[in-house]
Amino acid sequence: MKKNPLQQIRNIGIIAHIDAGKTTVSERILYYTGKSHKIGEVHDGEAVMDWMTDEQERGITITSAVTTCQWKDSQIQIIDTPGHVDFTIEVERSLRVLDGAVGVFCAVGGVEPQSETVWRQADKYKVPKMAFVNKLDRIGADFFHTVEMMKERLRANPLIIQLPCGSEDRFSGIIDLIRMKEILWEGDDKGATYSERDISPQYQEQAEEYREKMLETLAENDDEIMEHYLSEKAISEEQILDAVRRTVIALRLVPVLCGSALRNKGIQPLLDAIVRFLPSPLEVPPIRGTDPVTQEVIECYPRDNDPLAALIFKVSMIEGRKLSFVRVYSGRLKSGEDVYNPFLGKKEKISRILRMHANKRERLDMIGPGGIAGVVGLKNSGTGETLCSAENPLLLERIDFYEPVISMAIEPKTHSDQEKLEQVMSKFLEEDPTLRVRTDEETGQTILSGMGELHLEIIISRMQREFSTHVNVGKPQVVYRETIGKEAEAAVVFDKEVAGQQHFGEVHLKMIPLRRGSGNRFRSEVNAEMIPDSFIPAVEAGVTESLESGSLMGYPVVDTEVVLTGGSFRESQGSELAYRVSASMACKEAMGKGEPFLLDPIMKVEIFVPEAFVGDVIGDISSRCGKIGAIEAQRGLQVIRAMVPLAKMFGYSTSLRSATQGRGTFTMHFSHFDQSG
């Protein structure tokens, strides 16, 4: 491939809700740019970009796939991202390194829930966007309704630059409102050829109406067009194209195109629009980093001769080997050279640089600014970390990761699985920053936490397929706490012969309930004549031991004060063993009298939902014994803050999706122990 100047590079992502047709659009792009010689269909499990077995079987994208293709004089580097909410991190870390995005919308479903999430993520990183309304051949397709939904739900400012010729089974092509031409795909050559002609009389009036609306919208958002529009001067095709580009890069407008990827219609004009309207690495603001020592802000410009600044945005374990995906912002990354990771304070060696085409690769000697490639050889560096030169260290802003919201318990099926499990999990943890693994000390279970049930299902499936590690899966056991409801007293005498020696100890205890979160306390009110001071630590040890296992269900006891109120001592027979055992027994007896009850782990939950669903979500949280703390508006959403018992939160991610048509998200973490309901 010939070397491309920077202005000819486009780094774009294909983003959308699940099943809007992102991967189908990507497959057509690869076919028409000559990158693949056969169109791979998602429903046949043959899509190039969905190369994982789980993706092919389920017909969904799970990991972001990277590829590079050539269209006319431009090099387009594409990341096809997942649409399922469980894999949001894949979209987040891709958008972090992209210069532009194409949002794909289903003409039947319109702006669907996950479309909102990914659109908000693109807004967060200030990524210029275009929209492609797909599936216009489907029954129920409505192009204009989808555009209205973009205004309402995404708060976008759409600029219609194409109209569909017909819809549903009569959809035959598109009308280009900039050039006022009708583009038709006919014949059976998989859409590779198309013809242009003057607009048919049946579409002429609508085309003129929407061209006028397009010019009005452009005039409102671009001074040069405004000047021509108000003075009623003729506006040339080139002026319109330049104005669209300026307003897209300035994040003021979103051009809307249309077609049917499955029927091979509309992809070539989409490619033209990507090259014409989305920015090159030269046209986006320089990325900023900080000096790790002075904290001074450093701007990184896309220049070959500047110091290296690159970001690792994804790590993959392919066939057990670590492959790091890197975006270079300035300078050059060369094969065989050392680079510096300022986050770890370590040098790493780049052994190979690979241009990726899904899971296939081509070796490169070097990548420069704007380049996206796979790198082999980084042993310690992880997602979100910076690569630079040791002489010019800088830290780029790290990628935000989401906290996992759902857990399951796993245990190896065989001894050989046990040996492999730790190693396999460490590989998944390196690859996926939203995954967590811990061992619950109180139950001995290995707890796997992730972004949703599908996320964890895929991890278990990959564990078996890729690493031949088989596990039994179950829900994690909720670990409760116990406490008492009222003050209680008990007295126990231990007077026994043990190993040929008489042991004696008498202990009187009082247990007092404390307020939540106080922990446990012990104090002694006896004098040395009752019980010598040397035996008080043995009494405290017996109490501590007893509080580790409550009288109700054996959970640890919390929020109690144990007071040693009396006892007696016999010379030569008193022993630490006797006082420890009698204290432990007295404590158990007092607990039984103190009206013990369970304390639930209470989770602090934040739920983000569109306003229309607030009532349903609050009702659901109340039915789970949750207490609403606050409701506030935030960026077009309502944020509900609540405290809910963990035991009531299993399966909540599925319930929330169903209650909010998939548009709600939530985060959850441990707050405290308390009585539920």
Side-chain angles (χ1 to χ4, degrees), residues 596-617:
F597 59 91
L598 288 178
L599 295 175
D600 285 75
I602 305 295
M603 310 304 283
K604 186 176 182 182
V605 183
E606 281 193 331
I607 309 156
F608 302 83
V609 289
E611 192 156 355
F613 304 105
V614 168
D616 291 344
V617 170

Side-chain angles (χ1 to χ4, degrees), residues 484 486-492 507-512 563 565-566 586-594:
I484 55 169
K486 68 171 189 178
E487 196 173 299
E489 295 185 32
V492 169
V507 169
H508 297 202
L509 292 178
K510 179 166 67 178
M511 283 188 83
I512 304 165
V563 185
T565 55
C587 205
K588 283 270 187 275
E589 191 180 315
M591 254 188 271
K593 294 177 182 175

Side-chain angles (χ1 to χ4, degrees), residues 58-71:
R58 295 166 191 262
I60 61 169
T61 303
I62 292 168
T63 64
S64 314
V66 181
T67 194
T68 307
C69 56
Q70 194 88 5
W71 182 248

Side-chain angles (χ1 to χ4, degrees), residues 184-194 263-265:
L184 297 175
W185 283 263
E186 293 163 329
D188 193 25
D189 59 353
K190 295 184 177 173
T193 57
Y194 54 95
R263 300 283 171 256
N264 310 313
K265 294 180 173 76

Side-chain angles (χ1 to χ4, degrees), residues 323-382:
L323 179 68
S324 306
F325 289 83
V326 172
R327 158 80 196 251
V328 178
Y329 288 98
S330 69
R332 294 182 175 191
L333 195 64
K334 294 179 184 174
S335 185
E337 286 196 349
D338 285 343
V339 290
Y340 180 65
N341 180 331
F343 181 75
L344 301 176
K346 288 183 178 178
K347 282 192 174 181
E348 295 260 45
K349 194 171 194 70
I350 305 289
S351 57
R352 275 184 295 160
I353 299 173
L354 305 167
R355 174 171 288 138
M356 304 304 295
H357 176 44
N359 64 333
K360 298 183 178 66
R361 57 207 77 164
E362 165 196 342
R363 286 186 76 155
L364 299 172
D365 295 326
M366 178 269 299
I367 50 166
I372 293 176
V375 169
V376 179
L378 302 177
K379 288 181 182 158
N380 303 304
S381 301

Side-chain angles (χ1 to χ4, degrees), residues 17-18 20 105-106 109-116 149 153 663:
H17 183 88
I18 192 166
F105 300 96
C106 170
V111 177
E112 295 169 284
Q114 186 62 5
S115 306
E116 293 181 59
M149 288 178 82
R153 292 195 176 174
R663 292 166 67 191

